[in-house]
């Protein structure tokens, strides 16, 4: 069975969705949740599903302590689901094409440092965009610049607010993120 590690910094709705999706699948399961935020709600969600959690500091991420923990688990895939720190090169080099992220916009637009969550949705509304969407991509050493695996768009109206855009994006994330992870793992087997 394939092993998935999920990294998250906040509420953990995507992490929990992935955990639930793979709970009864034979291909893979989430074996650990890593977070840099000791008060993140993702910790409670992981506990609810009996998934071990690793809480770490930014320094531990950069000084290879987190890499050691990852290597002990030996995952087949590392999934960033609302993880807000830049992923360090030394981990990316150890796991090429094994780390993916979901971004709440259609990359390459609205990517980069500081572009996350409501900041993105506000920029999209302010720019009167006609559509937005999600991008699932490989992680490289630059924010939101890794190869795109999957994108799905959603139409916007002039009445959309950053909050309604967030709701539309959340629906896309919940629907597609676990499926794309499944497809990646299945392709790797086949």
């Amino acid at each position: 069975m394939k092993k998935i590690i999920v990294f998250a910094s906040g509420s953990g709705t995507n992490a929990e969705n992935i955990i639930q999706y793979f709970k009864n699948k034979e291909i893979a399961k989430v074996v650990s949740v890593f977070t840099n935020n000791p008060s993140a709600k993702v910790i409670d969600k992981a506990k609810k599903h009996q998934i071990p959690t690793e809480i770490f500091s930014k320094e531990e991420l950069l000084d290879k302590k987190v890499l050691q923990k990852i290597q002990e688990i030996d995952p087949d895939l590392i999934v960033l689901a609302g993880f807000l720190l830049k992923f360090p090169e030394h981990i990316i080099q150890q796991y090429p094409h094994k780390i993916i992220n979901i971004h709440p916009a259609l990359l390459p637009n609205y990517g980069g440092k500081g572009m996350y969550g409501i900041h993105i949705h506000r920029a999209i509304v302010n720019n009167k965009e006609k559509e937005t969407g999600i991008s699932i991509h490989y992680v490289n050493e630059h924010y939101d610049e890794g190869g795109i695996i999957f994108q799905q768009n959603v139409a916007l109206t002039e009445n959309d607010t950053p909050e309604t855009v967030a709701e539309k994006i959340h629906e896309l994330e919940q629907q597609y993120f676990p499926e794309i992870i499944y497809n990646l793992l299945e392709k790797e087997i086949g």
Side-chain angles (χ1 to χ4, degrees):
M1 181 173 283
K2 301 276 184 185
K3 293 183 277 189
I4 302 167
I5 295 177
V6 176
F7 276 73
S9 297
S11 66
T13 54
N14 278 323
E16 185 172 39
N17 188 37
I18 294 163
I19 290 166
Q20 288 175 318
Y21 182 90
F22 284 99
K23 207 163 211 159
N24 298 314
K25 301 267 189 287
E26 292 187 12
I27 191 171
K29 70 179 203 160
V30 176
V31 295
S32 189
V33 171
F34 282 58
T35 185
N36 60 306
N37 179 356
S39 58
K41 290 188 172 72
V42 72
I43 297 166
D44 296 329
K45 289 182 170 112
K47 277 185 185 153
K48 185 172 95 179
H49 296 282
Q50 292 90 42
I51 306 292
T53 54
E54 291 286 341
I55 301 168
F56 59 89
S57 66
K58 186 175 183 178
E59 293 72 35
E60 289 170 322
L61 181 66
L62 298 176
D63 74 8
K64 302 194 178 176
K65 281 194 176 79
V66 172
L67 174 60
Q68 289 169 341
K69 296 271 189 202
I70 293 170
Q71 287 173 323
E72 287 168 18
I73 295 169
D74 189 29
D76 296 281
L77 193 65
I78 299 170
V79 176
L80 310 188
F83 184 66
L84 299 182
L85 296 180
K86 188 167 188 240
F87 225 63
E89 275 186 61
H90 66 268
I91 299 177
I92 295 166
Q93 288 167 353
Q94 288 288 320
Y95 296 93
H97 281 85
K98 300 269 187 205
I99 307 169
I100 66 169
N101 181 43
I102 190 162
H103 187 75
L106 296 171
L107 293 172
N109 299 329
Y110 301 102
K113 188 171 173 57
M115 289 308 268
Y116 62 90
I118 203 73
H119 303 291
I120 294 172
H121 309 319
R122 195 173 293 123
I124 285 168
V125 168
N126 289 344
N127 289 337
K128 301 186 182 342
E129 297 286 358
K130 300 283 184 242
E131 68 175 13
T132 187
I134 58 169
S135 300
I136 298 170
H137 64 94
Y138 290 107
V139 174
N140 68 11
E141 61 277 8
H142 304 289
Y143 277 116
D144 305 321
E145 289 184 17
I148 291 174
I149 299 163
F150 174 84
Q151 290 185 308
Q152 181 64 45
N153 61 342
V154 63
L156 298 177
T157 70
E158 58 199 33
N159 298 326
D160 272 313
T161 64
E163 292 73 23
T164 61
V165 172
E167 288 170 20
K168 289 179 178 185
I169 292 299
H170 186 68
E171 284 178 28
L172 292 178
E173 290 172 337
Q174 295 284 294
Q175 180 180 351
Y176 291 105
F177 203 14
E179 287 178 14
I180 298 305
I181 293 167
Y182 183 94
N183 292 345
L184 277 176
L185 291 170
E186 193 176 46
K187 197 174 8 171
E188 196 179 273
I189 292 168

